[in-house]
């Protein structure tokens, strides 16, 4: 299923990406987040780092995050794609998705994420991103859905 989503994002990006707009840019982001998960009470604080390499409207990305929840840590490592739906000099709107691993108490399980975000750009290659994500993961033999809101400081 995830392969079909990734394939669909790549084809969509190829269709909406103008041939002359092959912009390339690396970015590094540091963020804070609040995450909720079915079976856990309230929102859990967290943070992470992300890297991406933008080619036109498509950005392959890697994100590593940690969340402190119910007396233990959840670590996620996800790889995915960001598709820029609207893009301008001062900001943009994107959708993204990723798949990877959730690690809790030395056990690993699958993790999925999909969401959308908005980015505001300042002169000098600095930007701020706000994003909301739906999550699904498997930990301790339990599959659960959830959500996350996050704010990221981006440097290009």
């Amino acid at each position: 299923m995830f392969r079909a989503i990734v394939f669909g994002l790549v084809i969509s990006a190829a269709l909406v990406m103008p041939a002359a707009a092959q912009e390339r840019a690396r970015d590094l982001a540091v963020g804070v987040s609040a995450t909720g998960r079915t079976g856990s009470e309230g929102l859990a604080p967290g943070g992470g780092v992300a890297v991406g390499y933008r080619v036109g409207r498509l950005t392959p990305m890697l994100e590593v995050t940690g969340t402190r929840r119910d007396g233990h840590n959840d670590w996620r490592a996800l790889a995915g794609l960001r598709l820029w739906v609207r893009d301008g000099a001062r900001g943009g709107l994107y959708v993204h998705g990723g798949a990877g691993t959730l690690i809790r108490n030395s056990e690993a399980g699958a993790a999925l994420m999909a969401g959308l975000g908005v980015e505001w750009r300042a002169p000098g290659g600095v930007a701020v991103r706000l994003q909301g994500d739906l999550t699904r993961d498997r930990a301790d033999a339990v599959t659960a859905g959830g959500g996350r809101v996050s704010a990221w400081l981006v440097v290009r």
Side-chain angles (χ1 to χ4, degrees), residues 36-102:
R37 185 175 189 267
T38 305
S40 294
E41 297 214 12
L43 294 176
V49 295
V51 294
Y53 185 76
R54 182 172 172 172
V55 179
R57 292 186 180 266
L58 189 64
T59 304
M61 63 178 186
L62 175 63
E63 178 180 297
V64 178
T65 60
T67 303
R68 182 72 180 160
R69 178 190 327 281
D70 299 333
H72 62 272
N73 295 322
D74 287 350
W75 299 98
R76 282 185 178 80
L78 301 166
L81 296 171
R82 183 179 302 123
L83 174 63
W84 293 89
V85 178
R86 300 227 358 118
D87 194 25
R90 298 188 59 161
L93 174 69
Y94 60 89
V95 295
H96 67 164
T101 301
L102 169 72

Side-chain angles (χ1 to χ4, degrees), residues 112-139:
L112 300 171
M113 172 201 49
L116 67 103
V118 62
E119 179 177 287
W120 292 276
R121 298 180 186 125
V126 176
V128 173
R129 283 186 192 142
L130 298 178
Q131 68 187 46
D133 304 308
L134 296 176
T135 62
R136 186 146 182 95
D137 55 49
R138 183 157 179 85

